């Protein structure tokens, strides 16, 4: 299957700082990338959908100014958690797909801990 | 709003047993249904189903979709301890993938 790389896999940051998470499709061009958040023992909750070259579409209840998403190229999307707080601590996962007719592949996820 | 419901929420079986996991959905403009296995990290893809009645198989795992009744099942035969994981069902609608809460499967010796 296709490879999606997410970095870092784990990050600890201080409250009030910003953290950037990268999601790269290594062997295909991803027209669409998705960002999810997962709390312990819960399912994945879609945060936003980003299409290359356009603004991300955020799900209801997700603050776009807090979770900045950039999809500047067909192989890279970034999620920046701005002014992070302890309640932002979670597992963030990206996925990427070539086009509408193919499945999405997931990155390894990033465990964010805000202290 | 699109909805995906999985059952059971959790399941404990003995190695060698066969299990059936259920997924029902309500979605606008259904495109496909996907099954994923999630262990400690990100989900790994198992199957994508788009047509009713056609079984997909991969080793001991198989899955089938019923678009009339709006559900899918994932079967695992001769379970092994390595099958212990959360199994996620997701449905793609017009624009996004909606996940169920998952079924937590534990296979014991």
């Amino acid at each position: 299957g296709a490879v999606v790389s997410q970095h870092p896999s784990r990050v600890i940051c201080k409250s009030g700082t910003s953290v950037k998470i990268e999601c790269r499709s290594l062997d295909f061009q991803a027209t669409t990338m998705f960002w999810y958040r997962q709390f312990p023992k819960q399912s994945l909750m879609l945060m936003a959908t980003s299409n290359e070259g356009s603004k991300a579409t955020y799900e209801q209840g997700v603050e776009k100014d807090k979770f900045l998403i950039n999809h500047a190229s067909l192989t890279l999307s970034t999620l920046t958690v701005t002014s992070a707080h302890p309640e932002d601590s979670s597992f963030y996962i990206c996925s990427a797909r070539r086009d509408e007719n193919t499945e999405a592949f997931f990155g390894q996820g990033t465990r964010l801990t805000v202290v | 709003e699109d909805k995906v419901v999985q059952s059971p929420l959790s399941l404990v079986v003995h190695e060698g047993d066969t299990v059936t996991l259920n997924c029902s959905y309500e979605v606008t403009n259904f495109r496909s249904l996907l099954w994923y296995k999630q262990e400690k990290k990100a989900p790994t893809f198992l199957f994508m189903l788009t047509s009713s009645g056609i079984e997909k198989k991969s080793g001991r795992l198989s899955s089938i979709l019923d678009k009339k009744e709006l559900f899918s099942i994932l079967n695992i035969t001769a379970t092994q301890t390595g099958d212990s994981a959360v199994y996620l069902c997701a449905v793609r609608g017009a624009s996004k993938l909606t996940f169920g809460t998952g079924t937590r499967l534990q296979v014991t010796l």
Side-chain angles (χ1 to χ4, degrees):
Chain A
V3 178
V4 176
S5 175
Q6 192 173 333
H7 178 79
S9 59
R10 184 182 291 267
V11 59
I12 300 173
C13 70
K14 287 187 179 178
S15 194
T17 60
S18 295
V19 173
K20 183 186 279 190
I21 303 169
E22 290 188 351
C23 180
R24 291 180 188 273
S25 56
L26 296 185
D27 54 356
F28 68 99
Q29 293 189 321
T31 54
T32 308
M33 288 188 171
F34 303 89
W35 287 95
Y36 296 85
R37 182 174 182 176
Q38 187 177 35
F39 291 105
K41 297 192 178 179
Q42 292 189 26
S43 191
L44 286 80
M45 298 299 296
L46 180 65
M47 297 174 67
T49 302
S50 78
N51 291 298
E52 185 264 340
S54 60
K55 285 187 182 178
T57 303
Y58 289 80
E59 295 300 301
Q60 196 170 12
V62 178
E63 298 173 60
K64 57 182 72 173
D65 294 331
K66 182 165 184 62
F67 298 100
L68 300 178
I69 290 171
N70 184 284
H71 191 167
S73 79
L74 283 170
T75 58
L76 173 65
S77 176
T78 60
L79 167 69
T80 302
V81 183
T82 62
S83 187
H85 290 285
E87 57 265 31
D88 298 325
S89 298
S90 189
F91 191 53
Y92 293 87
I93 310 176
C94 73
S95 72
R97 69 176 190 213
R98 283 186 189 83
D99 55 53
E100 287 189 355
N101 299 315
T102 56
E103 67 267 28
F105 292 90
F106 284 85
Q108 308 95 313
T110 298
R111 185 160 303 285
L112 170 64
T113 304
V114 185
V115 297
Chain B
E1 190 178 318
D2 296 347
K3 199 161 99 172
V4 179
V5 178
Q6 288 184 250
S7 64
L9 289 180
S10 66
L11 192 55
V12 181
V13 301
H14 292 295
E15 205 172 39
D17 287 351
T18 293
V19 297
T20 298
L21 309 183
N22 303 295
C23 175
S24 63
Y25 62 90
E26 292 173 26
V27 66
T28 306
N29 294 324
F30 174 88
R31 299 276 183 94
S32 58
L33 184 145
L34 298 96
W35 284 97
Y36 292 89
K37 178 182 182 182
Q38 186 176 26
E39 296 172 269
K40 288 185 181 170
K41 292 204 170 178
T44 52
F45 171 78
L46 296 175
F47 297 111
M48 181 168 75
L49 303 158
T50 53
S51 302
S52 266
I54 299 173
E55 186 183 51
K56 292 225 173 170
K57 270 184 84 83
S58 176
R60 294 177 295 103
L61 277 67
S62 63
S63 183
I64 198 160
L65 172 68
D66 185 330
K67 285 165 77 173
K68 186 178 172 194
E69 299 298 328
L70 308 183
F71 81 90
S72 173
I73 58 171
L74 174 69
N75 274 325
I76 309 175
T77 58
T79 51
Q80 301 171 358
T81 53
D83 295 328
S84 297
V86 174
Y87 289 83
L88 295 168
C89 171
V91 176
R92 180 178 297 165
S95 58
K96 66 176 185 177
L97 210 51
T98 301
F99 281 84
T101 49
T103 293
R104 184 173 294 277
L105 174 66
Q106 186 179 349
V107 182
T108 61
L109 289 169

